[in-house]
Amino acid sequence: MRTLVFPASFEQLDPIREFVGQAARDADMSETEICAVQMAVDEACSNIIEHAYHGREGEIEVTSDFRGDTLTIILRDYGDPFDPAGIPEPDLTCDLEDRRVGGLGVYLMRQLMDEVKYEQQPGAGNLLFLVKRRRGTE
Amino acid sequence: MEITTQHFKHCDLLTVKGRVDSYTAPKLVEAIEASNKKDVFKIVLDLGDLEYMSSAGFRALLVGQRACKRYNRGEIVLARVPKKIYEAFELTGFTPLFKMFDDVTAAVGSF
């Protein structure tokens, strides 16, 4: 298990993707799986920065935990509660004018990971669990 | 991320390199708006050297495409979309919203 703490700013998305990408690589995941983990974590952290901290200063604690064939990335923040489950799925069949600009990040997160779970711990911040199981080379 | 803009007779060619995420996407929005401000609404985005794009990039493309297509004055077309990025286009249902070309010349020539 490895944990790194990043300042909650968009500038940190690059090093955050690097950190979880390495965790996925260490877990022997395929290139597609590594990209999926990186993108899902990017979307989750972007939401934390935007909707939990509203651009204010803060921290995102990123933990990677690999057991068996399952990589779990745990994101902890101390901003306002933001449960991705409350975000409706975007309609991907709408034409250009009716296409909603929001909701895409959460949708991608759910598509790319096997499990997305949100938990609020009183006094211990908001926790988001992003779970990806290794399927190996396809 | 790095964007360079080249002006052609019938369109602008924007070459986007590197990674587009929430940090860098505003620069993509600005580059498209800069063309629009010069009354150029026919735009080719060369994504051949794009390494990564998150939903922030997709939002930038959506907003840009809406502005360009308004009043039938133009559109954004894409050239050399990397396989990895194309998969994200499919996942987000964005493929029907953009014409895609395998090479830049064909994309520029389409205007």
Side-chain angles (χ1 to χ4, degrees), chain B residues 66-84:
Chain B
R66 264 188 208 144
C68 290
K69 277 198 158 180
R70 199 161 295 147
Y71 315 121
N72 262 335
R73 58 192 174 185
E75 74 174 301
I76 294 174
V77 303
L78 310 177
R80 304 198 304 145
V81 182
K83 191 176 164 278
K84 218 163 60 175

Side-chain angles (χ1 to χ4, degrees), chain B:
Chain B
M1 187 200 59
E2 223 180 278
I3 303 182
T4 50
T5 302
Q6 282 173 272
H7 308 289
F8 287 86
K9 196 176 169 192
H10 297 293
C11 66
D12 274 1
L13 168 63
L14 275 58
T15 307
V16 188
K17 290 181 182 170
R19 295 180 285 271
V20 181
D21 59 15
S22 299
Y23 183 54
T24 56
K27 280 203 275 180
L28 176 57
V29 175
E30 274 168 34
I32 296 169
E33 281 175 356
S35 289
N36 291 167
K37 276 191 189 121
K38 289 182 180 155
D39 273 338
V40 178
F41 300 99
K42 292 174 180 170
I43 295 172
V44 175
L45 289 185
D46 176 9
L47 305 183
D49 292 313
L50 185 64
E51 295 163 27
Y52 174 81
M53 191 161 79
S54 75
S55 67
F58 283 100
R59 279 197 292 275
L61 291 186
L62 184 66
V63 169
Q65 184 69 306
R66 264 188 208 144
C68 290
K69 277 198 158 180
R70 199 161 295 147
Y71 315 121
N72 262 335
R73 58 192 174 185
E75 74 174 301
I76 294 174
V77 303
L78 310 177
R80 304 198 304 145
V81 182
K83 191 176 164 278
K84 218 163 60 175
I85 312 276
Y86 182 81
E87 285 166 8
F89 266 88
E90 288 209 302
L91 208 53
T92 51
F94 265 54
T95 28
L97 305 181
F98 295 89
K99 280 185 199 150
M100 297 191 192
F101 295 88
D102 290 338
D103 64 282
V104 174
T105 316
V108 170
S110 74
F111 286 119

Side-chain angles (χ1 to χ4, degrees), chain A residues 73-86:
Chain A
I73 305 290
I74 307 154
L75 304 176
R76 186 198 296 270
D77 71 80
Y78 299 93
D80 295 335
F82 177 75
D83 185 353

